């Protein structure tokens, strides 16, 4: 593939109408290449989370073009968009979103079940993903038996198990203390550097954004800054 992996052109997302019209995104142009680590920042209501939802095929734009790996996403039907999410995108959320009554291993296996993978294959891939995030020996622990940082590592392993092209991380350190936050960011940096994973992360913390290689800032539904970050940390 030539060109960006993710490309937004003139993207708008409007809610309501008339005097109640809200322009959550107001003509966003954004291109992200394969292997980049991009941090997206902006005040509440700036449009950063809306942009993330559109990139993740969780929402549709009102107008404009979104191309993923050269494919115009706007032409895909609901099932095709679900396939794109399932096979090419991995999601990491602030709240971990783990099933409380299942083990770390079973949580990581879950998206592989949806993909219809045989039990032995998905078990092996889930074990490998947990090893990649440093959780060997914790496979059979429930979320309640893990620290917040370990729970987020399980969530990252779950995203990795599907072998996605892109990890979309929405405030991945929002529920963690400083030490655990740094550990998670260093893990994301390693995955970006060593595995070549493209990472797009929404954060409100400047010190966490400093781990990325590029910073994009939203204000009032538009990109107002797009620049390389200083020397990588981690």
């Amino acid at each position: 593939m030539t060109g960006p992996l993710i490309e937004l052109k003139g993207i708008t997302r409007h809610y309501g109408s008339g005097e109640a019209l809200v322009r959550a995104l107001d003509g966003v142009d954004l291109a992200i290449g394969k292997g980049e680590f991009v941090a997206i920042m902006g005040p509440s209501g700036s449009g950063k989370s809306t942009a993330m939802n559109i990139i993740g095929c969780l929402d549709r734009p009102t107008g404009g073009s979104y191309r993923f790996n050269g494919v115009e996403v706007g032409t895909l039907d609901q099932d095709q968009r679900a396939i794109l999410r399932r096979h090419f995108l991995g999601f990491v959320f602030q709240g971990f979103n783990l099933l409380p009554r299942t083990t770390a291993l079973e949580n990581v296996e879950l998206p592989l079940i949806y993909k219809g993978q045989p039990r032995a294959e998905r078990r092996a891939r889930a074990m490998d993903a947990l090893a990649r995030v440093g959780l060997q020996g914790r496979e059979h622990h429930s979320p309640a038996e893990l620290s917040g940082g370990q729970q987020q590592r399980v969530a990252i392993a779950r995203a990795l198990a599907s072998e996605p092209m892109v990890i979309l991380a929405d405030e991945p350190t929002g529920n963690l203390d400083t030490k655990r936050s740094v550990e998670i960011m260093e893990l994301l940096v390693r995955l970006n550097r060593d595995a070549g994973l493209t990472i797009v992360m929404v954060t409100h913390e400047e010190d966490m954004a400093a781990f990325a290689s590029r910073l994009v800032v939203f204000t009032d539904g538009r990109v107002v800054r797009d620049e390389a970050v200083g020397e990588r940390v981690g």
Side-chain angles (χ1 to χ4, degrees):
M1 185 204 74
T2 59
L5 178 59
I6 294 168
E7 186 174 27
L8 307 181
K9 285 188 175 181
I11 289 291
T12 60
R13 184 64 173 101
H14 299 164
Y15 300 95
S17 60
E19 294 184 0
L21 179 67
V22 175
R23 301 178 185 273
L25 295 177
D26 193 19
V28 169
D29 295 327
L30 179 63
I32 298 173
K34 185 177 180 180
E36 286 199 87
F37 187 163
V38 180
I40 297 178
M41 298 189 71
S44 179
S46 64
K48 61 184 186 298
S49 293
T50 302
M52 179 73 95
N53 287 340
I54 288 174
I55 292 171
C57 296
L58 301 173
D59 193 7
R60 288 181 178 269
T62 303
S65 169
Y66 169 29
R67 298 180 71 84
F68 181 88
N69 204 28
V71 174
E72 178 56 60
V73 176
T75 65
L76 303 181
D77 61 28
Q78 184 173 344
D79 290 340
Q80 291 170 323
R81 288 161 60 85
I83 290 171
L84 191 158
R85 286 194 302 271
R86 191 177 304 138
H87 291 270
F88 298 97
L89 303 174
F91 296 88
V92 179
F93 301 98
Q94 176 177 343
F96 316 142
N97 289 10
L98 302 178
L99 297 178
R101 294 182 178 85
T102 57
T103 66
L105 183 62
E106 290 166 336
N107 268 284
V108 175
E109 281 187 289
L110 190 60
L112 304 179
I113 293 173
Y114 294 144
K115 291 177 71 172
Q117 290 193 346
R119 176 182 173 84
E121 181 181 344
R122 69 174 185 256
R123 180 61 52 98
R125 288 179 62 174
M127 292 285 285
D128 179 66
L130 285 166
R132 290 175 68 186
V133 301
L135 287 180
Q136 303 97 322
R138 302 279 181 172
E139 296 91 348
H140 301 292
H141 287 62
S142 70
E145 297 171 316
L146 300 172
S147 69
Q150 289 171 332
Q151 289 183 59
Q152 192 60 293
R153 286 174 182 267
V154 174
I156 293 170
R158 181 180 57 196
L160 291 174
S162 296
E163 299 181 345
M165 296 181 70
V166 180
I167 294 289
L168 300 175
D170 190 359
E171 301 280 6
T173 61
N175 283 346
L176 304 177
D177 61 27
T178 301
K179 181 180 179 181
R180 302 295 179 260
S181 294
V182 169
E183 290 174 354
I184 291 300
M185 293 310 304
E186 289 176 342
L187 171 59
L188 292 176
V189 167
R190 288 197 300 273
L191 291 170
N192 173 246
R193 284 178 170 166
D194 299 343
L197 271 173
T198 304
I199 298 177
V200 183
M201 175 185 72
V202 166
T203 182
H204 66 277
E205 300 171 281
E206 291 186 8
D207 51 345
M208 298 300 110
F211 283 85
S213 56
R214 178 178 167 198
L215 174 64
V216 175
V217 179
F218 278 71
T219 299
D220 295 331
R222 297 184 178 186
V223 173
V224 296
R225 284 174 59 195
D226 187 346
E227 60 193 26
V229 177
E231 185 176 351
R232 296 287 290 275
V233 183

